Amino acid sequence: MPEDNPTTAVKRRVRRGSGRVTLADVARAAGVAQMTASRALNSPETVNPDMVERVRQAVIETGYVPNLLAGALASARSLLVAVIVPSIASTIYLEFVQSLRGALASKGYQVILGESDYEHQLEPALLDALIARRPDAIVTVGAVRSKEGRKRLLASAIPVIETWDMPAQSLDMVVGFSQPAVGRAAAEYLLGEGRRHVAIISANDDRAAMRAQGFLEAVKERDSAARVESVSIAAPSTLGEGRRALADLLSRATPPDAVFCTSDMVALGVLTEAKSRGMKVPQELAVMGYGDMNFAADTDPPLTTIRADGKVIGLQAARLIFERASKDVAERVVDVGFSIVRRASA
Amino acid sequence: MPEDNPTTAVKRRVRRGSGRVTLADVARAAGVAQMTASRALNSPETVNPDMVERVRQAVIETGYVPNLLAGALASARSLLVAVIVPSIASTIYLEFVQSLRGALASKGYQVILGESDYEHQLEPALLDALIARRPDAIVTVGAVRSKEGRKRLLASAIPVIETWDMPAQSLDMVVGFSQPAVGRAAAEYLLGEGRRHVAIISANDDRAAMRAQGFLEAVKERDSAARVESVSIAAPSTLGEGRRALADLLSRATPPDAVFCTSDMVALGVLTEAKSRGMKVPQELAVMGYGDMNFAADTDPPLTTIRADGKVIGLQAARLIFERASKDVAERVVDVGFSIVRRASA
DNA sequence: CTGAAAGCGCTAACAG
DNA sequence: CTGTTAGCGCTTTCAG
């Protein structure tokens, strides 16, 4: 007879806990129900102040540190945000990640890092690994282009923010600016300064390619007969690549009188190479960068560059995440624009 | 009577799941028990191949993505590693974080990012926030100095790896090298090259201070009457800080004939300032950096610097984490050393 | 090798 | 405002 009977008690499947202090321990120590302890910690305004005090005391006594794994599972809110950058080593997105992480941390969110590699398309495996953590949002640098990637993100129902770009078909939310417009602006600036034979040194990643495309189009529009030199370098772009790219350009039949570079680091390489050859910048060669990195104002000569404010992108992305979490209808697209920082090099 | 009786059925507390596909759905689709599905995915070698195949098929059909929050809670293994850097924006640790993240990812671990700020001591709040995620390891850049921080880490029973340093009192595991030894090596190198009036430009963070100390000690040991100039700059160190620091040094009564810089970026600033003043490097001024960043070989002149291989530190840290996880007794201390990369600037 | 039950530590939902 | 109960989705444990 399968009757529950004390003498034929079912064998206990033993499974002891981690041995760590749990919320139940805190509740016991404070002499309240576990749920009250939970509320005292997470929404103290809904609990009698005395109880809150007792619970806080108990937390200190016991050395309790909540288990967010359990909390996230129970509440379906992980307070985790996945951030996918092309490469951790690429300095361009550092301030962005930093400001995003900081803003998120202020509301209890944590950041989990993904790396997509410039070369490979955002791999489904990477995406699945991140989705498996059930982040409350996924932030990607650049638009998600791969069909499979879009599909998985959509299926996951996790809010997505694509950044540093302005995709025609956004997945969900966007915080960025037009990459081709950056290239156009650079071309117009250099041409407007009277340069006649412009060049572009561009890395072979998605966004750099878009800038290059905008640059070339703008030059052609202004003067369909214009010659544009172009050098492609590998990402991540370094000072050395910049030096070699300029050497390449200068070895051509008609050397350029202006160069737009895919990044400030490359521009610094161009500056270095130019100076080592005794060329005068900007007289003989105008040099323009992209990124306005923290050294751009202090190069010799100071670097004219295009500034896209990573800090702002990070902050705006965080804001959208907060709004979405609180069910306020978040905007879907934020164009943070960019600006030309005019210094002496161009 | 509180007897369980069908007609007075207890009211159902409704709590529907997330609506997502769960392992139970997969098991159902595959016609196996949930536990078998779990095993088929996590330890396929323990399951009949046919079953594995059926489960895999079901995963694809259903679009199942595991919920690692639940898995982590149940198994007490989060496959999460917390990495604490002083500042995300500081380029020195980029390769380290990248290689660490990559190595961990290859075994299914993910990285969650913490930032300690150079200025504040590792804050208990940051630590608690990370511990709350129950990471399988915590990796810190630099030794954990604060008493409270050490206490919490110890109490958490989470494996800790302190990196980029060689603390006398390590908390648990260490992968690094002696920071004072770096300073000594730099001093000995410059003095050995015949420099007589050396200077140091040092940021005011923990590790830079240790290098500076080693530098000063070594100089004194060699020649107790030696004069050493010293400039302190704010972290994070930039090219501009380097320029200004050199300007400062040159304005002093007896300008130095050699400078050791807290980072390559600062050294690049020194190079820039020297060149803009028409000084000859290394003839009039030897310049030495620290970090061997990717631009160091391509500056003009190429930068002599001290290389500590962040990539190796990351890899070694990952290895220790794996070993500890598999219960092999992991080593506790790995000294990865450093090397002087001799180039033209000094 | 496969399955059933129990429970990881927390919060949602409901009842008082 | 406080408490009770029932899960969240997975894996451990034990039994077959």
Side-chain angles (χ1 to χ4, degrees), chain B residues 121-144:
Chain B
Q121 273 299 3
L122 232 171
E123 292 170 57
L126 164 65
L127 241 26
D128 280 351
L130 294 175
I131 293 172
R133 300 280 175 192
R134 300 295 187 267
D136 290 336
I138 297 181
V139 179
T140 70
V141 165
V144 178

Side-chain angles (χ1 to χ4, degrees), chain A residues 67-78 134, chain B residues 15 67-74:
Chain A
N67 183 334
L68 282 181
L69 256 22
L73 179 61
S75 67
R77 289 183 65 222
S78 64
R134 301 295 188 270
Chain B
R15 192 161 173 204
N67 183 335
L68 252 40
L69 294 172
L73 179 61

Side-chain angles (χ1 to χ4, degrees), chain B:
Chain B
M1 295 292 158
E3 301 293 7
D4 256 90
N5 167 328
T7 58
T8 53
V10 202
K11 227 157 260 157
R12 273 274 107 77
R13 278 117 207 284
V14 196
R15 192 161 173 204
R16 61 207 173 300
S18 58
R20 291 209 46 151
V21 179
T22 70
L23 188 56
D25 298 323
V26 173
R28 209 169 300 127
V32 301
Q34 177 172 323
M35 199 51 231
T36 303
S38 171
R39 283 194 273 251
L41 296 177
N42 299 320
S43 49
E45 68 284 0
T46 67
V47 176
N48 186 312
D50 309 357
M51 300 242 142
V52 173
E53 192 41 47
R54 269 158 64 194
V55 171
R56 290 220 168 114
Q57 209 54 49
V59 165
I60 294 170
E61 275 168 29
T62 56
Y64 173 67
V65 180
N67 183 335
L68 252 40
L69 294 172
L73 179 61
S75 67
R77 288 183 66 223
S78 63
L79 292 178
L80 229 38
V81 171
V83 177
I84 306 177
V85 295
S87 160
I88 292 175
S90 97
T91 49
I92 299 261
Y93 306 114
L94 254 28
E95 280 202 328
F96 160 68
V97 174
Q98 186 170 43
S99 79
L100 176 57
R101 198 210 65 84
L104 289 172
S106 73
K107 303 244 184 188
Y109 287 80
Q110 244 126 24
V111 160
I112 175 171
L113 213 55
E115 201 173 10
S116 63
D117 280 1
Y118 278 107
E119 352 219 342
H120 308 74
Q121 273 299 3
L122 232 171
E123 292 170 57
L126 164 65
L127 241 26
D128 280 351
L130 294 175
I131 293 172
R133 300 280 175 192
R134 300 295 187 267
D136 290 336
I138 297 181
V139 179
T140 70
V141 165
V144 178
R145 295 195 140 56
S146 77
K147 191 159 174 146
E148 187 58 26
R150 296 176 72 91
K151 202 174 113 191
R152 301 207 180 205
L153 285 172
L154 251 13
S156 76
I158 297 171
V160 174
I161 305 185
E162 297 167 281
T163 62
W164 292 87
D165 200 350
M166 216 78 241
Q169 290 262 15
S170 77
L171 212 41
D172 183 358
M173 294 174 277
V174 175
V175 181
F177 54 94
S178 163
Q179 292 282 347
V182 167
R184 290 177 172 280
E188 274 154 23
Y189 179 85
L190 292 174
L191 262 20
E193 293 288 303
R195 303 294 167 166
R196 288 290 154 256
H197 188 190
V198 297
I200 180 164
I201 300 174
S202 176
N204 57 2
D205 76 82
D206 282 353
R207 280 164 303 295
M210 293 172 79
R211 294 194 291 276
Q213 186 201 323
F215 185 86
L216 298 176
E217 280 173 10
V219 173
K220 290 297 178 196
E221 276 168 24
R222 242 183 119 112
D223 173 6
S224 61
R227 277 206 55 193
V228 190
E229 302 292 332
S230 165
V231 182
S232 174
I233 62 178
S237 31
T238 61
L239 192 153
E241 295 284 351
R243 291 192 72 161
R244 287 183 284 280
L246 180 60
D248 176 347
L249 285 171
L250 295 179
S251 70
R252 298 188 181 181
T254 54
D257 60 1
V259 202
F260 174 49
C261 303
T262 201
S263 84
D264 283 354
M265 205 64 196
V266 170
L268 181 53
V270 167
L271 247 33
T272 305
E273 185 65 20
K275 184 165 287 190
S276 87
R277 290 172 180 243
M279 290 177 76
K280 289 207 153 45
V281 175
Q283 294 83 344
E284 297 172 52
L285 183 74
V287 179
M288 193 162 179
Y290 165 79
D292 195 25
M293 301 193 51
N294 67 16
F295 59 79
D298 294 304
T299 56
D300 184 23
L303 190 63
T304 292
T305 187
I306 291 185
R307 171 174 186 74
D309 198 330
K311 208 173 293 184
V312 168
I313 297 179
L315 259 21
Q316 292 293 326
R319 182 175 62 79
L320 293 187
I321 292 170
F322 299 152
E323 287 180 7
R324 181 64 70 89
S326 64
K327 264 113 185 176
D328 298 0
V329 214
E331 288 152 77
R332 303 204 80 105
V333 176
V334 179
D335 189 334
V336 300
F338 59 86
S339 57
I340 294 183
V341 181
R342 182 182 185 131
R343 298 203 183 94
S345 74

Side-chain angles (χ1 to χ4, degrees), chain A residues 13 15 18 22-23 34-35 38 42 64 67 70 74:
Chain A
R13 279 117 208 286
R15 191 163 175 203
S18 56
T22 70
L23 189 56
Q34 178 170 325
M35 197 56 227
S38 171
N42 299 320
Y64 173 67
N67 183 334

Side-chain angles (χ1 to χ4, degrees), chain A residues 42-66:
Chain A
N42 299 320
S43 48
E45 68 282 1
T46 69
V47 175
N48 186 311
D50 309 358
M51 300 245 142
V52 173
E53 192 42 47
R54 268 158 64 194
V55 171
R56 291 218 168 116
Q57 208 54 49
V59 165
I60 294 171
E61 275 167 28
T62 56
Y64 173 67
V65 180

